[in-house]
Amino acid sequence: MTDSKDRPLAVFDLDNTLADTAHRQHFLERKPRDWDGFFGAAPDDPPLSEGVALARESAEECEVRYLTGRPERCRRDTLDWLAAHGLPEGRVYMRRNDDRRPARRTKLETLRRLARTHEIRVLVDDDELVCEDAERAGFTVVRARWSAPSAALKVAQEREGRT
């Protein structure tokens, strides 16, 4: 196997790409939104088999990295969840706790930074705006369409910069 620095990257989103957030959407459907409840329930997310299979398959040729809009305060739960579900080891890029910019901005910044030193083979994400912006920037994208879309989560990602 080649040195990991020489391997291309496969970059995966978490929520609704690898982790099914349907059971915690109700926290975002109320006013005010209950962000502590939403993120606190993340350890109970069931894995999405299509996304998990793609991550495992990608790990055969690529170094897997995770790019999420989850805040940094969720790191321990996120790492534990990835390990518990047998996902490939890989660095996790998270949003600063106080960063409220849209996911499409924060994720594209990270992708561009990674592309300076690595070939990015693919980005796998469920957020259409993230996918569109990444494609416009020249990245290859797989749209994770294997989970039910959530209007509340879409608003949170774009307008509130929360996930």
Side-chain angles (χ1 to χ4, degrees):
M1 185 161 93
T2 60
D3 181 2
S4 66
K5 288 186 223 171
D6 298 329
R7 297 178 81 201
L9 302 182
V11 181
F12 284 81
D13 173 46
L14 294 175
D15 292 337
N16 291 327
T17 297
L18 298 174
D20 185 350
T21 66
H23 73 100
R24 54 188 170 110
Q25 292 303 313
H26 64 96
F27 291 110
L28 301 183
E29 292 164 357
R30 61 177 75 151
K31 297 286 183 181
R33 298 184 201 283
D34 180 358
W35 290 105
D36 290 337
F38 180 75
F39 290 120
D44 298 325
D45 290 353
L48 290 165
S49 59
E50 297 90 336
V52 171
L54 186 56
R56 289 177 181 155
E57 180 183 311
S58 296
E60 294 174 13
E61 294 184 14
C62 298
E63 182 178 341
V64 173
R65 302 274 179 100
Y66 301 98
L67 177 57
T68 180
R70 291 180 185 184
E72 185 64 42
R73 69 180 183 272
C74 299
R75 180 169 293 277
R76 175 56 20 217
D77 285 345
T78 299
L79 295 174
D80 290 348
W81 187 92
L82 290 166
H85 294 288
L87 280 130
E89 286 187 22
R91 186 165 176 193
V92 177
Y93 301 90
M94 303 183 89
R95 171 189 300 275
R96 287 186 328 269
N97 288 330
D98 62 348
D99 188 344
R100 298 288 186 265
R101 293 173 298 152
R104 61 193 171 110
R105 285 193 49 215
T106 60
K107 288 185 175 185
L108 196 57
E109 280 179 14
T110 301
L111 287 171
R112 286 183 169 137
R113 191 171 60 247
L114 289 172
R116 287 187 218 133
T117 56
H118 294 82
E119 171 197 345
I120 297 180
R121 174 88 40 97
V122 66
L123 166 69
V124 183
D125 202 302
D126 69 305
D127 184 326
E128 284 296 324
L129 295 173
V130 169
C131 292
E132 289 169 10
D133 283 4
E135 284 177 332
R136 272 194 290 276
F139 296 102
T140 300
V141 172
V142 170
R143 284 170 167 76
R145 293 185 171 142
W146 41 78
S147 68
S150 162
L153 186 60
K154 184 173 185 168
V155 168
Q157 290 171 323
E158 183 58 21
R159 293 194 200 142
E160 297 179 24
R162 292 290 197 138
T163 184

